[in-house]
Amino acid sequence: MALIRLRLSTYLQEAGITPAALAAAVHPTLSRNTVYRLLRQEDTITRLDFPTLAALMTALRQLTGKPVDFADLLELDESV
């Protein structure tokens, strides 16, 4: 069965954004703890709600000045 994986940490590294900068950008919509939990548990996340994903995408768009698409943050892993 294929899985959809969050690739937030990879995106942050590629864009040169620190987790602290992302946490500040999504505040107060998401807590700092939520951002760090998503990064720490990226490989084991089984659910991600749309408001959280929208907040992340909006904040990353503001931080980078570039469009952020779903494919930037999510990937299909068919190797499972």
Side-chain angles (χ1 to χ4, degrees):
M1 176 172 93
L3 295 174
I4 295 176
R5 297 204 185 274
L6 183 64
R7 58 179 308 275
L8 182 59
S9 61
T10 301
Y11 185 90
L12 292 181
Q13 289 174 1
E14 291 170 352
I17 299 170
T18 65
L22 177 59
V26 295
H27 183 77
T29 306
L30 300 177
S31 73
R32 172 183 221 97
N33 290 340
T34 297
V35 172
Y36 282 97
R37 182 182 49 80
L38 289 171
L39 290 166
R40 191 174 51 254
Q41 298 175 354
E42 227 174 25
D43 292 335
T44 59
I45 292 172
T46 57
R47 298 177 195 269
L48 181 64
D49 63 25
F50 287 141
T52 299
L53 188 56
L56 292 170
M57 292 173 70
T58 300
L60 291 169
R61 190 172 293 144
Q62 291 170 349
L63 290 168
T64 63
K66 299 177 184 176
V68 178
D69 199 321
F70 295 105
D72 295 323
L73 299 181
L74 303 172
E75 67 182 354
L76 181 64
D77 182 357
E78 297 181 278
S79 66
V80 180

